[in-house]
C-alpha cells in the first residue's frame, strides 16, 4: 500500500512538473501588445531563427506569399480603424502576410487569420496590401521580429525585420481630427476627476 501511495505521489509530482514546463520551441511564439493612439495593437506570431541559413530568396522565396513568421499565420489586431501605409483598415483581427522581393515587400492584411502558414492563403480575402522598401540592417537580426515603433502620440511604424532585412509600414489613425477631439475631451474628464479628488481630500 505504501509503495502504491509513493508511486501515486511521484506520478502527481511529475504531472505537476510537466504542466509548468514544455519542450523548447524551434520558433517560439510571441505576443506583442502595445498602446496605439486611443486603443492598442496586438501581434501574435512565431519567431524563426536564421540558424546559418540563407533566408530571403531561398528559405523564403522571392515573389511568393509568406506567413510573416513561423507555424500558424501571424495575427494582428487593431483596436481602432487605421491608416495602414496609406490605406484605410477597419478595427479587427487580420492575418499578416508578406510577398518579398529583393528591393521591396508587399505587406498584406487578410481576413483569414486562423490558417497554418500560408498554405490556404486566398487573395480574395485580402483587405489591403501596401508595398514598402526593404532596408539592409547593419547587424544581423537572428530571430524574426515584429514591433511597433511610436513616432508620436497617435502614430507609429510597424517594423518587420529578419536576417539583414528590415521593412516598415506607417500606421496612423483613420480619422486623426476625430481622435484629437476625443483625446482633448478625455483629458478634460481626467482633469475634472483629479480636481474632484483634491476637493474630497
Amino acid at each position: 500500500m505504501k509503495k502504491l501511495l509513493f508511486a501515486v505521489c511521484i506520478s502527481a509530482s511529475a504531472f505537476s512538473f510537466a504542466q509548468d514546463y514544455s519542450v523548447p520551441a524551434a520558433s517560439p511564439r510571441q505576443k506583442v501588445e502595445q498602446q496605439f493612439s486611443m486603443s492598442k495593437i496586438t501581434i501574435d506570431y512565431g519567431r524563426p531563427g536564421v540558424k546559418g541559413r540563407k533566408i530571403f530568396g531561398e528559405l523564403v522565396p522571392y515573389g511568393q506569399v509568406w506567413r510573416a513568421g513561423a507555424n500558424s499565420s501571424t495575427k494582428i489586431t487593431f483596436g481602432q480603424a487605421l491608416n495602414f501605409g496609406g490605406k484605410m483598415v477597419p478595427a479587427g483581427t487580420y492575418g499578416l502576410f508578406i510577398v518579398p522581393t529583393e528591393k521591396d515587400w508587399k505587406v498584406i492584411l487578410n481576413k483569414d487569420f486562423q490558417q497554418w502558414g500560408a498554405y490556404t492563403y486566398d487573395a480574395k480575402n485580402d483587405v489591403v496590401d501596401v508595398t514598402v522598401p526593404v532596408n539592409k540592417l547593419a547587424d544581423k537580426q537572428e530571430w524574426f521580429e515584429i514591433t511597433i515603433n511610436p513616432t508620436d502620440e497617435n502614430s507609429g511604424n510597424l517594423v518587420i525585420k529578419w536576417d539583414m532585412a528590415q521593412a516598415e509600414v506607417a500606421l496612423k489613425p483613420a480619422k486623426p481630427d476625430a481622435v484629437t477631439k476625443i483625446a482633448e475631451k478625455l483629458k478634460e474628464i481626467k482633469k475634472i476627476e483629479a480636481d474632484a479628488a483634491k476637493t474630497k481630500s
Side-chain angles (χ1 to χ4, degrees):
M1 187 66 180
K2 288 181 179 179
K3 288 183 179 180
L4 179 61
L5 287 172
F6 179 75
V8 169
C9 288
I10 292 296
S11 297
S13 297
F15 180 71
S16 176
F17 180 85
Q19 285 182 315
D20 294 333
Y21 295 89
S22 60
V23 176
S27 300
R29 200 77 187 172
Q30 179 161 325
K31 190 172 184 179
V32 177
E33 185 174 281
Q34 186 165 314
Q35 176 76 27
F36 182 84
S37 188
M38 295 187 302
S39 59
K40 63 184 177 183
I41 295 175
T42 305
I43 308 165
D44 184 336
Y45 70 108
R47 299 191 65 191
V50 174
K51 301 177 183 178
R53 301 172 293 184
K54 179 172 173 53
I55 302 302
F56 296 104
E58 286 194 12
L59 181 67
V60 179
Y62 288 137
Q64 295 183 27
V65 177
W66 175 50
R67 71 189 84 187
N71 302 321
S72 59
S73 60
T74 294
K75 294 187 291 186
I76 186 165
T77 302
F78 303 127
Q80 68 189 75
L82 285 184
N83 177 319
F84 185 84
K87 298 183 180 181
M88 299 305 161
V89 179
T93 300
Y94 304 95
L96 177 68
F97 298 90
I98 293 171
V99 178
T101 70
E102 200 168 353
K103 295 183 178 180
D104 53 40
W105 290 355
K106 180 190 286 187
V107 183
I108 303 164
L109 297 181
N110 187 277
K111 291 178 183 177
D112 185 357
F113 57 86
Q114 294 182 309
Q115 57 184 290
W116 182 267
Y119 299 109
T120 59
Y121 167 81
D122 187 344
K124 292 178 183 177
N125 290 322
D126 288 353
V127 178
V128 298
D129 65 73
V130 296
T131 300
V132 293
V134 175
N135 298 311
K136 188 172 183 178
L137 293 169
D139 299 306
K140 180 183 286 187
Q141 175 70 34
E142 174 64 27
W143 297 93
F144 179 70
E145 183 178 68
I146 305 177
T147 55
I148 305 294
N149 183 26
T151 52
D152 61 36
E153 286 184 354
N154 289 299
S155 303
N157 292 322
L158 178 71
V159 182
I160 306 168
K161 55 186 176 180
W162 196 22
D163 196 10
M164 300 301 293
Q166 173 176 305
E168 300 184 8
V169 180
L171 307 176
K172 299 177 182 179
K175 297 180 179 179
D177 291 342
V179 167
T180 299
K181 289 178 182 178
I182 293 170
E184 288 173 354
K185 292 297 180 183
L186 289 172
K187 287 176 183 177
E188 288 178 17
I189 292 169
K190 290 291 184 183
K191 186 177 184 307
I192 292 168
E193 289 175 345
D195 291 343
K198 289 178 184 177
T199 303
K200 287 180 181 179
S201 59

